[in-house]
Amino acid sequence: MLDLGRLRALHAVAVHGSVGAAATALGYTPSAVSQQIAKLERETRTTLLERSGRGIRLTDDAHQLAATARQLLALVEEAEVRLEERRGRPAGRLTIACFASAARGLMPRVLAELARLHPDLDARLSEVDPHLSVDLVARGVIDLAVAHDWDIAPLPAPPGVEQVVIGDDRCDILVHRDHPLAARESVRREELAAERWISQPPGTVCHDWLTRTLRATGYEPLIVHQAEENHTQVALVAAGLGIALVPRLGRGALPPEVVPVRLDPVPTRRLHAMWRTGAARRPAIRETVRTLQELWPSIASAG
């Protein structure tokens, strides 16, 4: 009899590409995942992982078994959904993937409220880039994703995934207090051609929005510093090393050296909750989405 937990570990390695990444997604240590795979190899008398350079790769037999594991996990999910429906209340484990600033500025209040109202619900959060989190939902690795997109870079839901809008997050230009723009109430995009920018790295949603938008005004943005964390970008602005476009969600209080200036028109990013169609009946999904939408206005206002 194949153990479902070990199959889940193999499926996670197949999805994430490494034991370490699978362990992070599952909430285990890499050693625990390796032990699960080793036990599965002994049970099946099959080699599942092979060394490939500094990493590992799945054997052909492992890919076959991982595909079967995905089907079994989908059946388990369906059974869990039906049981939770019959209980009529949120219960069991709910895995949530969320981008960094929402994990900091939105999810603590949401998770605390869910824990207060629904003690039988075990909600677990992972910080994941929006593009990756949606794919994880579609593959059945994560139950719910909180993702975002921009007006010129929409993030469509793939087949089999449903989504709903949580709300809009406004963004500001951040400049040093001695910068010529610091005294302005607002500034237009065309006026920023000569600025030195601090941005997230290429491949992120925020970086793509910045480059596409400024190129549309006829110039290539000069990005001199790249930092994934908004707080790092704020610190670089405070040091007078450039300007940055930073969303309000999760930004926190600005240091005295940094001044926010409204960009006209105001850039906004839209937050979405996404989940698999097959899990839409889960009370845990419905209640989490309701809580996200209910708390968003006060969180956005505070931001």
Side-chain angles (χ1 to χ4, degrees), residues 117-128:
L117 295 176
H118 308 290
D120 293 333
L121 178 62
D122 180 15
R124 302 191 178 191
L125 177 69
S126 297
E127 187 178 300
V128 181

Side-chain angles (χ1 to χ4, degrees), residues 52-137:
S52 178
R54 295 184 178 181
I56 55 95
R57 71 174 186 88
L58 272 68
T59 64
D60 291 342
D61 288 335
H63 281 293
Q64 284 289 105
L65 190 56
T68 302
R70 179 177 181 178
Q71 295 173 339
L72 290 173
L73 292 172
L75 290 173
V76 170
E77 180 183 57
E78 175 62 22
E80 291 173 341
V81 168
R82 290 183 179 180
L83 285 174
E84 192 176 325
E85 269 192 306
R86 289 179 61 84
R87 296 189 189 104
R89 66 181 188 276
R93 180 179 296 186
L94 182 74
T95 52
I96 305 171
C98 182
F99 60 96
S101 55
R104 181 171 56 249
L106 172 63
M107 294 309 298
R109 280 188 59 187
V110 171
L111 293 173
E113 182 71 359
L114 289 173
R116 183 180 70 85
L117 295 176
H118 308 290
D120 293 333
L121 178 62
D122 180 15
R124 302 191 178 191
L125 177 69
S126 297
E127 187 178 300
V128 181
D129 182 82
H131 288 305
L132 298 177
S133 65
V134 176
D135 182 58
L136 293 179
V137 169

